[in-house]
Amino acid sequence: MKQDTTIVTTGRSPEDHHGAVNVPVYRASTILHPTVAEMEASHSSGNFLNRYGRVGTPTTAAFETAIAAIEGGFNTVSMSSGLAALTSSLLAFLSTGDHVLLTDSIYGPVRRFADVHLTRLGIEVEYFDPLIGGDIAKQIKANTKIVFVESPGSLTFEVQDIPAIAAAAHDAGVLVFMDNTWASPVYCKPFSLGVDISIHACTKYITGHSDAMLGCATAATEELYIALKTFCVHQGICAGTEELFLGLRGMRTLSVRLERHMKTGIALASWLEQRPEVSRILHPALPSDPGHELWKRDFSGASGLFGFILHDVPKKAVDAMLDSLSLYGMGASWGGFESLILPTKPGPIRTASEWKAEGPSLRIHAGLEDIEDLKADLEKGFEVLKANA
Ligand SMILES: *Cc1c(COP(=O)(O)O)cnc(C)c1O
């Protein structure tokens, strides 16, 4: 089956739901069992279905089955947010005395979690240059357990050589985790690149409408899945059933939405690249991007999130420009139907590699509005920038 057919058909069984096309929102805490034997069977090890609401409902199972099918993994564990999925995946596999390698371009709140809490638990946290490739071998130690990649990074958009990193990690018996939120399960297949656990902020494109918090982690193998799911069951981690329904609903249109996000994002980035106010674009789908060749090799598309760097101008000019825009919202998150813009500061938090910007950095999420309106709004913004520079 081709991907778009899988997206439409996976995780649905109308015959089990009175013919309803979509799996309904199952609101359940208690799940009743008609006999002692069936109750005992529901608690047998490795059975995570229909045991208790916290462990999962049919809505949970539908969402998890669907994500695993699209991404090509063994199975998925859903969680309450993308950040919960990232931190829980780490905690499920790390023990005191272990060493973990995180990309220097990792999503900021994961860095904060690692520096504060993993360190507190006696886990050694070290960062690596996102562009390191196979040389990651030099940072792998006898106690290294996980190498964590995110490609492209959601502020700097550096593309990582994941197959090279994964080969070096696997040679040393080290697991590879990836934050695959940027590309979504549609445009990147982490398991074919050697990743062991792929994690998504489903809050972004999978839900796709800026109205729910949801995360998930998909494991390549049954063994990894059981370990991850068991940790989440023990810890009491579960996603809300309404959110899972919204995730499934968003997922059905993920491929068509992404096509438009990609087209508008590339068109906006190409237009910005010609602007005199702009120094550099951070978008791997542009041929001028240093990560373009790796992106072309490992991804089948680009989402609508990209960055750009202005020539050096005072902060007050950039602030005035951003305040003047009417079609670009300012706020955390991305992946909804609407356009966003955000000033970013990726440089100061890095420790393993230098990130230099010659001027202020901005990040755009290209929404589903008309490209001409989006350009016109930015063009007006650039007038304000000039007037305040
Ligand atoms: C937003 C984001 C997350 C966190 O997801 P939440 O659902 O907001 O917790 C993780 N990784 C990346 C790359 C993100 O952009």
Side-chain angles (χ1 to χ4, degrees):
M1 226 191 269
K2 298 264 196 275
Q3 174 160 273
D4 283 348
T5 311
T6 303
I7 289 176
V8 168
T9 56
T10 182
R12 293 200 295 119
S13 50
E15 63 282 9
D16 296 329
H17 304 286
H18 305 282
V21 169
N22 294 296
V23 178
V25 176
Y26 275 84
R27 295 196 180 281
S29 51
T30 299
I31 290 170
L32 301 174
H33 308 284
T35 64
V36 173
E38 283 170 72
M39 185 166 67
E40 285 174 358
S42 81
H43 280 73
S44 60
S45 75
N47 178 9
F48 300 117
L49 284 177
N50 305 329
R51 190 198 288 189
Y52 180 42
R54 191 175 62 211
V55 181
T57 69
T59 317
T60 318
F63 176 82
E64 294 176 345
T65 303
I67 296 290
I70 300 167
E71 205 159 34
F74 175 77
N75 204 351
T76 300
V77 182
S78 54
M79 308 192 212
S80 57
S81 69
L83 183 58
L86 291 157
T87 58
S88 305
S89 298
L90 287 166
L91 280 177
F93 292 94
L94 290 171
S95 306
T96 300
D98 285 346
H99 172 240
V100 59
L101 283 165
L102 306 172
T103 173
D104 216 9
S105 56
I106 201 159
Y107 178 65
V110 176
R111 189 175 195 117
R112 183 180 61 196
F113 172 80
D115 291 348
V116 174
H117 299 288
L118 294 183
T119 303
R120 176 173 58 79
L121 296 171
I123 294 155
E124 231 184 303
V125 175
E126 192 181 338
Y127 295 89
F128 65 88
D129 181 345
L131 305 181
I132 201 164
D135 279 347
I136 190 74
K138 294 179 187 153
Q139 276 181 259
I140 291 176
K141 309 199 287 190
N143 60 338
T144 306
K145 192 76 194 276
I146 297 167
V147 173
F148 202 114
V149 300
E150 179 182 334
S151 184
S154 67
L155 295 182
T156 55
F157 301 92
E158 291 152 292
V159 182
Q160 303 195 251
D161 191 341
I162 297 169
I165 292 173
H170 290 162
D171 271 351
V174 172
L175 293 169
V176 180
F177 292 9
M178 177 182 185
D179 184 331
N180 190 27
T181 303
W182 182 82
S184 94
V186 169
Y187 285 156
C188 179
K189 306 294 180 193
F191 305 115
S192 71
L193 304 177
V195 168
D196 299 296
I197 295 202
S198 166
I199 301 153
H200 289 279
C202 309
T203 308
K204 311 291 165 59
Y205 284 118
I206 292 172
T207 297
H209 292 73
S210 304
D211 52 8
M213 300 301 302
L214 187 64
C216 73
T218 303
T221 64
E222 179 170 16
E223 188 192 348
L224 291 171
Y225 165 73
I226 299 269
L228 180 62
K229 178 70 183 177
T230 301
F231 173 80
C232 290
V233 169
H234 290 181
Q235 176 87 345
I237 292 165
C238 60
T241 192
E242 180 89 34
E243 282 74 11
L244 288 160
F245 177 86
L246 290 171
L248 263 174
R249 182 183 163 119
M251 194 208 69
R252 302 291 175 204
T253 58
L254 180 59
S255 173
V256 281
R257 282 187 287 111
L258 275 175
E259 253 179 70
R260 178 72 171 273
H261 285 295
M262 167 162 65
K263 193 168 152 227
T264 303
I266 291 173
L268 265 184
S270 306
W271 177 78
L272 283 166
E273 198 170 32
Q274 307 304 320
R275 293 287 312 187
E277 301 86 352
V278 173
S279 164
R280 182 152 70 92
I281 307 288
L282 314 171
H283 192 320
L286 297 200
S288 57
D289 192 275
H292 184 67
E293 289 307 316
L294 281 182
W295 170 79
K296 238 178 27 192
R297 187 191 68 187
D298 296 342
F299 294 76
S300 59
S303 65
L305 193 77
F306 67 95
F308 61 106
I309 296 170
L310 297 169
H311 291 300
D312 203 13
V313 280
K315 179 177 185 305
K316 77 165 177 49
V318 182
D319 291 357
M321 171 187 172
L322 297 182
D323 290 352
S324 78
L325 298 174
S326 54
L327 292 179
Y328 297 82
M330 278 190 287
S333 208
W334 45 275
F337 50 80
E338 81 289 10
S339 288
L340 301 167
I341 196 162
L342 205 65
T344 64
K345 271 207 177 72
I349 58 166
R350 297 197 29 159
T351 53
S353 50
E354 208 179 4
W355 175 259
K356 275 208 231 146
E358 52 283 11
S361 304
L362 296 169
R363 186 181 77 180
I364 280 185
H365 175 248
L368 304 178
E369 303 88 343
D370 189 282
I371 178 72
E372 294 311 320
D373 290 333
L374 289 175
K375 280 190 215 164
D377 200 29
L378 279 178
E379 193 146 25
K380 269 191 346 220
F382 281 130
E383 293 309 313
V384 176
L385 179 89
K386 272 186 277 185
N388 286 273

